[in-house]
Amino acid sequence: MGEKIKIAVLVSGGGTNLQALIDKQQSGIIRSGEIVLVVSNNADAFALERAKKANIPTAVVSRKDSASQEEFEKNLIEILEKSEIELIVLAGFMCILSENFTSKYQKRIINVHPSLIPSFCGKGFYGLRVHRAALDYGVKVTGATVHFVNEVPDGGEIILQKAVDVEPNDTPETLQRRVMENAEWIILPQAVELVCEKMAERK
Ligand code: GAR
């Protein structure tokens, strides 16, 4: 087998999706790529602990401590380039990236979103807000989507989706957990392997 695709995972919080990626890398489901860096915009993110435990190098680039979006993205790019990153995985990364950034990494950034796009997505739809909106609307089926990232928030080409039933007594928290367990933690690692496999073939 040829060289593995170098992956950076970008996180902001708990990092359960990062954990799913680490576990699937350890079990060999992700075999065409390797997570070589975890970057958080938040120094307190528990995701950083998960990375350290798995011996993956970490970095923190704070949007708040950056003078502008431009500076934030410049710092991010510098760190990614230093590690020769080829694929960027947004796993619960709560910062919007500008066209300046996304155009530099066309078809090389993927994101997991906790709904069936094009429902409950775009600006303002993140984390528990997505599940609250789904419950308020009364949908009976929701799910998760993994897609390429372009300049339109949650607007890039869809790679994988998985549906999850809404139960009558769901709260945003119970629904979030079911969507993670039954969809996100499954399709994110699958999509990462799919994309890395294709990228590795072209190397
Ligand atoms: C996940 O549900 C992810 O899909 C969502 O945030 C959660 C992060 O959890 N992402 C978004 O809403 C992005 N628009 P995690 O830190 O435990 O992986």
Side-chain angles (χ1 to χ4, degrees), residues 11-29:
V11 296
S12 299
T16 64
N17 278 289
L18 168 67
Q19 191 65 54
L21 292 169
I22 293 170
D23 294 348
K24 294 290 162 59
Q25 179 169 295
Q26 281 166 359
S27 66
I29 306 258

Side-chain angles (χ1 to χ4, degrees), residues 93-97 111 113-115 119-134 136 152-155:
F93 186 62
M94 300 304 181
C95 298
I96 299 265
L97 296 165
N111 178 47
H113 182 77
S115 75
S119 290
F120 313 116
C121 65
K123 202 162 181 276
F125 285 100
Y126 56 87
L128 277 174
R129 288 171 185 236
V130 177
H131 303 291
R132 206 168 286 129
D136 286 349
V152 180
D154 299 324

Side-chain angles (χ1 to χ4, degrees), residues 44-185:
D44 297 327
F46 185 67
L48 291 170
E49 302 304 317
R50 298 182 189 268
K52 283 174 195 154
K53 204 165 162 215
N55 291 319
I56 301 168
T58 61
V60 175
V61 183
S62 162
R63 170 68 186 85
K64 274 185 278 169
D65 296 343
S66 309
S68 61
Q69 179 74 15
E70 209 181 332
E71 190 192 300
F72 170 62
E73 291 180 355
K74 194 171 144 268
N75 292 338
L76 204 52
I77 289 169
E78 212 173 280
I79 284 174
L80 296 169
E81 285 184 344
K82 212 183 277 169
S83 298
E84 299 176 339
I85 297 303
E86 298 166 280
L87 179 69
I88 300 166
V89 180
L90 309 183
F93 186 62
M94 300 304 181
C95 298
I96 299 265
L97 296 165
S98 78
E99 184 168 8
N100 187 31
F101 186 95
T102 58
S103 60
K104 200 173 155 55
Y105 290 97
Q106 271 184 43
K107 288 278 172 84
R108 294 197 292 137
I109 313 174
I110 72 176
N111 178 47
V112 61
H113 182 77
S115 75
L116 293 174
I117 289 176
S119 290
F120 313 116
C121 65
K123 202 162 181 276
F125 285 100
Y126 56 87
L128 277 174
R129 288 171 185 236
V130 177
H131 303 291
R132 206 168 286 129
L135 290 175
D136 286 349
Y137 205 95
V139 293
K140 304 302 173 211
V141 177
T142 184
T145 304
V146 180
H147 62 93
F148 284 111
V149 173
N150 63 13
E151 68 285 1
V152 180
D154 299 324
E157 185 191 327
I158 291 172
I159 304 166
L160 290 175
Q161 287 189 305
K162 195 164 185 290
V164 173
D165 284 339
V166 177
E167 303 290 347
N169 293 320
D170 265 333
T171 62
E173 289 78 9
T174 61
L175 186 56
Q176 178 183 53
R177 183 76 194 178
R178 190 174 323 106
V179 169
M180 283 176 157
E181 277 179 3
N182 296 350
E184 295 184 49
W185 301 342

